[in-house]
Structures are given as C-alpha cells and as structure tokens.
Amino acid sequence: MLIHEERLRAMYAGGRGNTTARRFARFWAVVFAAGLTPRRWITLEVPGRRSGRPTRFPLGMAEWQGDWYLVPMLGGDCNWVRNVRAAGHRAVIRRRGARPCLLTEVPTADRAPILRSFVQQVPGARPHVPAERTAPLEAFAAIAAGYPAFRVDFTRTARRRRWWWIAAIAAVVVLLAAAAAAVAGQPPVAPLTLPVPAAPPSGAPAEEWRIASGSVAGFRIEQTFLGMTSEVTGRTGGVTGTMTVHGDRIDAVEARIDLLTLTSDGREPAPQFATSLETARFPQAVVRLTAPIVLDAAFAAGSAVTLPATGELTLRGVTRPVTTTLTARRDATGVAVLGAVPIRFADWQISEPQGYGPLGSLSDHGVAEFLLILRST
C-alpha cells in the first residue's frame, strides 16, 4: 500500500476523516468523476441531510453477480450513508458525466458475499473492515448488520437520457445520409455543346472576329461527400476577346474571362472558386493561341471539325502552356468553338477549394471549359 494501514486507520479515527483524509477525498472526488481511473471508482453525489447542498464522496464499487454495490468502509453510521438514507436513497453517480441512480439497500441476511467482494475489490477499505478478504462468508455475515450494502440501480431518467442521445445520433446519421444522397442526386450541369447551326456559310471566312454574347466559360470540379460523388460547376457569360483568320489558318485568339461573375447555379456567386482563384486580386483569366490552327475544307463548308490547339492559360497571375482539342463549326451567322482544358491547381499555384472536413472533400484538379461564339467585325 502507498499509505501504511495504521496511518489509514488513524486518518479515520472515530469513524470520521481528519483534515488529511478530507484533503485526499476532495482530490479523489475530482479524479474519479473525470473517469481517469477504472470503472469501479466513482464519485457519489447526494444532498447533505442538513444543508441540502450537494456533497461528493469518492468511493469504490464492488461488482457481484453482474450488479454494482456501494459499501461504507466505516460502517453504517458514516456521513454518506446517512445522507443517502435522508435523500430517499436517490443519488447521482459521477464518472465522465452524471447518472441519477437509486441505491437499493440489501437485507442484512444477503450482505455477506457482497461484503467479501467489496473487501477483495476495494483495497483502501481493508484496514477498516474487521474481516480479512480471505475469510469465510461466516466472518462477513457476523459483521453484516454494521455494514450496509447498496445496489446501484440507474434510474429511468438516465435511461431516457441515453435514448435521447441515441435518437440525436440517429437523427444526425439520417441527416448526413440525406445530405449525401442529395449530393449524389444533384443533376450535373449539362456539358457545353455547339449550338444548332443556322444556314450554311458562304464565301471565305472573314479575317477579324469578336467574341459575342452567348459565349460561356467556367470550371468543373468533382466533390465527394460521405463516399458519394458529384460535380461542382461554376459558369460565367462574361467572356470577351478576338480571333484573327488569314485564309485557311487561325493565326490568333485571345479570350478574357470575367471571374468576378462566376456563379454556381446561374444565380448565386461561386465563393469556392472566388476564394481559390483570389478573384479580388486576379479578376480575369486569359486564354491565348500560341500556334496557328490550320483549317480544312470541311470547316469552310460548315461541318463540325476537331482542331488540335496549342496555347497558354493565365490564372491567378500565373501563365502556363496548355494543349487541347477544339470542336469548331462555321455557319451563316458566325463561328462556334468548343473546348476544355484540364487544370491541376498546383500548376497555377491555386489554393485547393475548401472541402467538408472529415465528411468529404473537393478534388485537387478540375476542367476549364468554354464555348466561344464569334461574329465577324
């Protein structure tokens, strides 16, 4: 033992704890209530029989035949026993929280095996109980009248409280599942497509073109929520620029995209993109052609054609080369050009969009997509 048995007895001379014992009791009451010790060590809270104020006692419980029992090591005249009886045997067990309980007093004839279990399982009680832990049951039966035993029965209030917690957790799970299903069930924003052509074109293409209304540009990023995946899409119609054509060759294209007008559903701003792209500092993205694109007879005749293109993309003040395959078609009203460029955020020093913590995330890459409607000037 950390403290000699004789000293332990002296600390409780006359059945009452001295100053040292009370100091130890206050310390262990805090430790046991915090749940820093094995399960049997608890703090009992019960109203004082005179003051009515809550009083706390650090105690060790004994387990016997599947139930927990409290036994006073100083006998039935100790303070906590008298308080429990005055309170109608109702009390609170504190260990990682508070659980109301009813302390049911065991008849004297049935106490012997409980008392022996108590002495065997709670070492601090041994100096105060006049029966050795190895003694036969008869020795404990002989002292049973002076040592009451209380079975700890947690009340319905505590059970209801546990059920409220279970119901709350279940509700959270249902809400998360519904949110995940909503994420997975969100209809994806339709991909950009070439518009239906008007009348077939005639004559040679004009040399100077401007990007007109109906043009769209934006980003598409995959998101994951509770294992469900969908896409986050930001779009804007704020696209301006020019194209230069000489004969059968596109020599120059420059498109400027107003990132401040990006929306996530055509109405609401897209804050994820605004934060990651730092649109307040870098309000535009710029796409430029860096190598001519050769046009064939099918394009001149009004057929949709695929055209490999090499250019550069400027995002967040960083310019990098990009390659893609465009789909283009000419009709009587102008030229439509469709394309998409894979974007790895780190390549443009873009902060990854903020995710959902442990519940989900947004990808570290995406796709920049555009539809350019060009009219001759």
Side-chain angles (χ1 to χ4, degrees):
M1 280 194 170
L2 296 177
I3 303 177
H4 194 274
E5 289 190 3
E6 290 301 325
R7 186 179 176 191
L8 284 173
R9 293 191 187 97
M11 287 168 58
Y12 291 92
R16 295 288 183 274
N18 62 16
T19 301
T20 301
R22 291 194 295 273
R23 188 180 299 119
F24 275 120
R26 286 193 294 270
F27 171 77
W28 288 115
V30 173
V31 172
F32 292 174
L36 302 178
T37 52
R39 182 182 176 187
R40 74 176 64 260
W41 305 102
I42 57 92
T43 294
L44 179 71
E45 181 178 282
V46 62
R49 59 191 179 281
R50 295 192 181 93
S51 67
R53 294 192 300 268
T55 56
R56 294 181 179 179
F57 305 88
L59 301 174
M61 297 191 296
E63 187 177 14
W64 185 69
Q65 292 188 344
D67 289 316
W68 290 101
Y69 293 86
L70 288 173
V71 176
M73 68 180 186
L74 301 178
D77 195 42
C78 75
N79 205 25
W80 73 258
V81 171
R82 292 201 287 173
N83 285 350
V84 164
R85 287 170 173 164
H89 293 80
R90 298 190 177 277
V92 172
I93 296 290
R94 290 193 171 273
R95 186 178 184 279
R96 299 180 185 175
R99 298 183 65 186
C101 63
L102 181 67
L103 300 182
T104 303
E105 196 159 348
V106 178
T108 302
D110 300 330
R111 294 176 187 171
I114 299 170
L115 297 183
R116 185 167 67 178
S117 296
F118 174 70
V119 172
Q120 290 172 346
Q121 297 174 35
V122 184
R126 294 169 192 167
H128 308 284
V129 178
E132 295 292 331
R133 57 178 170 168
T134 56
L137 284 177
E138 289 78 10
F140 291 94
I143 63 170
Y147 288 85
F150 298 87
R151 188 180 68 247
V152 179
D153 296 318
F154 292 107
T155 64
R156 291 182 178 274
T157 301
R159 292 192 182 97
R160 283 198 298 270
R161 187 172 298 168
R162 288 201 301 275
W163 280 111
W164 275 111
W165 277 107
I166 293 171
I169 292 170
V172 170
V173 170
V174 169
L175 288 174
L176 289 176
V183 167
Q186 287 177 352
V189 176
L192 297 173
T193 59
L194 291 176
V196 176
S202 62
E207 289 191 356
E208 301 299 328
W209 300 78
R210 62 176 177 81
I211 297 175
S213 62
S215 299
V216 180
F219 300 89
R220 189 184 294 270
I221 301 173
E222 185 178 89
Q223 67 176 341
T224 302
F225 187 81
L226 292 179
M228 305 289 188
T229 59
S230 63
E231 286 184 328
V232 178
T233 305
R235 294 266 178 87
T236 178
V239 186
T240 57
T242 59
M243 178 176 73
T244 301
V245 178
H246 289 117
D248 63 350
R249 192 179 68 223
I250 299 176
D251 281 338
V253 175
E254 179 175 291
R256 294 183 175 273
I257 302 160
D258 183 3
L259 300 178
L260 294 174
T261 59
L262 278 172
T263 61
S264 56
D265 57 6
R267 298 183 304 275
E268 298 296 328
Q272 293 277 25
F273 295 105
T275 300
S276 299
L277 296 173
E278 293 188 74
T279 56
R281 293 179 59 201
F282 307 100
Q284 284 191 335
V286 181
V287 180
R288 291 186 180 91
L289 189 68
T290 57
I293 299 174
V294 177
L295 302 172
D296 57 20
F299 175 78
S303 298
V305 295
T306 57
L307 305 169
T310 300
E312 62 183 20
L313 171 63
T314 301
L315 279 174
R316 204 183 153 278
V318 177
T319 302
R320 290 184 59 85
V322 293
T323 59
T324 187
T325 298
L326 304 175
T327 303
R329 182 167 53 209
R330 179 185 173 215
D331 65 12
T333 63
V335 175
V337 179
L338 181 68
V341 178
I343 301 294
R344 184 172 168 269
F345 299 142
D347 292 341
W348 276 269
Q349 300 174 18
I350 297 171
S351 301
E352 292 185 20
Q354 185 177 1
Y356 310 107
L359 302 179
S361 64
L362 287 162
S363 178
D364 63 356
H365 61 279
V367 175
E369 53 186 359
F370 54 88
L371 170 65
L372 305 182
I373 306 297
L374 297 120
R375 307 290 185 221
S376 60
T377 59

